[in-house]
Amino acid sequence: MGQVTALRQPSNIGGVPAAEVFDRHHADVYRYLARRVPADIADDLASETFVQAVTRAHTFVPERGVLRGWIFGIASNLLSRHHRDEVRAYRARARTGADPHVTGADETDRVIDRVDSQSRQPALAAALAELSDGDRDVLLLVAHAELTYAEVAQALDLPVGTVRSRLNRASRIVRPHSTTPGGPTMTTDEIGLLDGPEMDALRELRADVPGPTDAQRQAAWERMQGARSQADMSQEGLPAYPMDGITFERSGGAGSPVTAVVIDHVPTEPVDITFTQ
């Protein structure tokens, strides 16, 4: 038998509390994913993105880029498993003019999309289906996630020059479907963000996708916290504890004293815990 004191010790990623990382980026990651895959898949992928973020927090190196780019890199990697389904959805929209991700009650709310289907949206979907997976990822990380060249390079682990060449190649395919003859073409501002008719058209594509619900955010938060706690205990070979938010850590090497750590929001004051080791 032994006795330890539970200490408040929030997890962090690159020195930023995990709770703050989640609050800053979860909704943006979810909406980016939901513009490319069905909402139920986007929900699962967004949740898994933050599970991986806390369990792989040690791999984030601030000197190599910003946290936003790193988070979207995790999301992009998870999304890659669904590229084939994404392409099928673009082709379906190109054929029918209807958004294949919208069904049931949502259809009434998006009647305007059916009107717009007579314009450039189906052709734009067809153009996106023609792109390689890598070119499409670069283009939509800029258009939908609004990442800079440097952030896209970090997210996809590419040189900035490769990001530029992929973006130029993608724009040549997309441009005929998103501009009027003789109209202005895509331009680049001083910080690497694209602007012009192509970006305007792409930003309109599925722009009405709602953000995550409160229930989805809560479920994703709880999944992230549970993953962090389990990862810590597994790495240290320490016992699990039935109270949510409690994990155990050693103060030194094997055989050193064990401290029960209260993660984030569970008791705010130190408490004594008796355990058997």
Side-chain angles (χ1 to χ4, degrees):
M1 297 289 289
Q3 196 169 47
V4 297
T5 299
L7 306 174
R8 184 176 178 81
Q9 180 175 311
S11 57
N12 68 82
I13 304 173
V16 180
E20 185 175 335
V21 174
F22 183 89
D23 287 342
R24 281 185 192 175
H25 302 295
H26 176 263
D28 289 343
V29 168
Y30 172 86
R31 290 198 75 246
Y32 168 71
L33 294 168
R35 293 177 74 171
R36 299 185 62 176
V37 293
D40 58 336
I41 295 176
D43 184 24
D44 184 62
L45 295 183
S47 177
E48 179 62 22
T49 294
F50 289 89
V51 166
Q52 293 198 17
V54 296
T55 56
R56 294 167 44 194
H58 62 284
T59 68
F60 173 64
V61 181
E63 291 76 14
R64 295 178 59 184
V66 297
L67 191 52
R68 179 176 172 82
W70 184 75
I71 291 287
F72 272 92
I74 297 173
S76 296
N77 184 57
L78 293 169
L79 179 64
S80 67
R81 306 171 190 173
H82 299 272
H83 277 154
R84 187 174 299 178
D85 293 335
E86 180 187 13
V87 169
R88 278 198 292 264
Y90 286 135
R91 288 174 177 162
R93 184 160 194 177
R95 288 194 309 271
T96 68
D99 188 341
H101 298 325
V102 178
T103 58
D106 289 339
E107 188 69 17
T108 302
D109 296 334
R110 301 189 188 181
V111 169
I112 191 170
D113 277 351
R114 299 183 70 90
V115 175
D116 190 51
S117 70
Q118 303 303 315
S119 61
R120 61 188 178 182
Q121 296 292 313
L124 184 58
L128 289 172
E130 291 178 25
L131 299 178
S132 69
D133 294 337
D135 288 358
R136 191 185 315 107
D137 281 343
V138 168
L139 185 63
L140 295 184
L141 280 169
V142 172
H144 290 176
E146 299 186 353
L147 267 59
T148 64
Y149 284 172
E151 289 169 340
V152 173
Q154 179 189 7
L156 301 180
D157 195 21
L158 296 170
V160 172
T162 301
V163 169
R164 291 179 181 275
S165 64
R166 288 188 180 186
L167 207 46
N168 288 334
R169 184 165 57 237
S171 70
R172 287 197 299 270
I173 294 174
V174 170
R175 183 175 297 124
H177 305 287
S178 59
T179 60
T180 56
T185 59
M186 190 180 289
T187 59
T188 307
D189 68 17
E190 66 277 6
I191 62 171
L193 289 174
L194 292 177
D195 202 2
E198 291 93 338
M199 286 298 107
D200 290 343
L202 287 168
R203 290 184 182 116
E204 291 171 7
L205 188 66
R206 308 205 77 231
D208 59 345
V209 169
T213 64
D214 290 343
Q216 287 173 318
R217 284 178 57 82
Q218 182 64 28
W221 165 259
E222 291 175 357
R223 185 178 173 191
M224 180 186 76
Q225 289 292 75
R228 192 269 181 179
S229 180
Q230 291 176 9
D232 286 348
M233 288 185 287
S234 175
Q235 291 171 5
E236 295 294 331
L238 297 170
Y241 189 76
M243 179 182 290
D244 179 37
I246 300 274
T247 187
F248 291 85
E249 296 181 358
R250 296 188 187 278
S251 59
S256 63
V258 176
T259 298
V261 179
V262 180
I263 300 174
D264 203 26
H265 61 284
V266 192
T268 58
E269 299 299 328
V271 295
D272 286 334
I273 298 173
T274 301
F275 66 97
T276 301
Q277 191 174 21

